[in-house]
Amino acid sequence: MIKKINILASLLFLAATLSLSSQERQDWDKIKSLKIAFITERLNLTPKEAQSFWPIYNEHQSKRESLFREERFEIGSEIKNLDALSDTKAVELLARMQRLEEEKYKVEKSYIEKISKTISAKKTILLMRSEEDFKRQLIKQYRQKKGGQ
């Protein structure tokens, strides 16, 4: 489960580092489309499975993105100014970070429970592996693109 969180966090970090220019927005949309195609191919979902799978998957992705934004932009901005934080504020920030980690765990647990009722346990595990594989491929392509420039 932790790997799965790291996978999306890495993908979202990549997306967050992109500016919101129209070309880069199109690139992010293309990445999302490629991920959907990758997962669809890997899982070989039946039409019935797909009908119930994708709404759960998309809702989960939305929740994860929201938690990532909170972690990256709200908490992250406070961490950047760590030296300026009072001890009291640091204690509050640490408690907030712990609550966020707990929330991420709850979101993941709920997601696994919901998705495994929609697709088999084997396909659920395959989904988790596929997301990790997609992330690795994306990072590899990104590095190749950066190295070629």
Side-chain angles (χ1 to χ4, degrees):
M1 183 170 309
I2 296 299
K3 283 186 177 182
K4 192 171 184 186
I5 292 170
N6 290 338
I7 292 168
L8 187 61
S10 297
L11 284 173
L12 292 174
F13 175 76
L14 180 61
T17 58
L18 299 174
S19 71
L20 294 178
S21 75
S22 101
Q23 179 60 45
E24 289 169 338
R25 181 76 227 158
Q26 289 173 357
D27 288 347
W28 179 237
D29 290 342
K30 183 178 177 183
I31 289 169
K32 282 183 165 182
S33 296
L34 290 171
K35 184 178 180 187
I36 289 169
F38 188 85
I39 289 170
T40 299
E41 182 180 324
R42 283 282 184 96
L43 295 184
N44 194 24
L45 298 173
T46 66
K48 184 180 179 183
E49 287 174 326
Q51 185 178 6
S52 53
F53 170 83
W54 287 111
I56 295 168
Y57 183 85
N58 292 334
E59 176 188 0
H60 179 65
Q61 294 304 306
S62 177
K63 286 179 184 178
R64 289 172 92 181
E65 288 173 15
S66 175
L67 292 169
F68 174 79
R69 278 192 301 277
E70 180 180 353
E71 181 177 44
R72 177 80 172 126
F73 297 112
E74 295 173 23
I75 293 175
S77 66
E78 292 184 44
I79 291 174
K80 285 181 184 177
N81 299 318
L82 192 59
D83 292 338
L85 284 181
S86 68
D87 286 342
T88 303
K89 286 286 187 185
V91 167
E92 290 171 8
L93 181 60
L94 185 58
R96 187 173 172 198
M97 292 168 67
Q98 288 175 320
R99 282 192 303 273
L100 184 62
E101 286 301 316
E102 289 170 5
E103 181 64 24
K104 288 192 297 189
Y105 173 77
K106 288 177 187 176
V107 165
E108 289 300 315
K109 184 178 179 186
S110 172
Y111 169 66
I112 298 282
E113 289 170 359
K114 287 178 187 176
I115 212 73
S116 63
K117 290 177 184 172
T118 303
I119 59 176
S120 70
K122 282 185 177 183
K123 282 188 179 182
T124 300
I125 293 168
L126 182 58
L127 168 65
M128 295 165 69
R129 282 186 45 206
S130 297
E131 286 185 318
E132 187 174 326
D133 291 346
F134 181 80
K135 179 193 119 187
R136 268 191 249 125
Q137 282 187 2
L138 185 64
I139 291 171
K140 182 179 177 183
Q141 289 175 358
Y142 178 77
R143 286 180 180 154
Q144 288 174 344
K145 183 178 176 184
K146 283 296 195 186
Q149 290 181 346

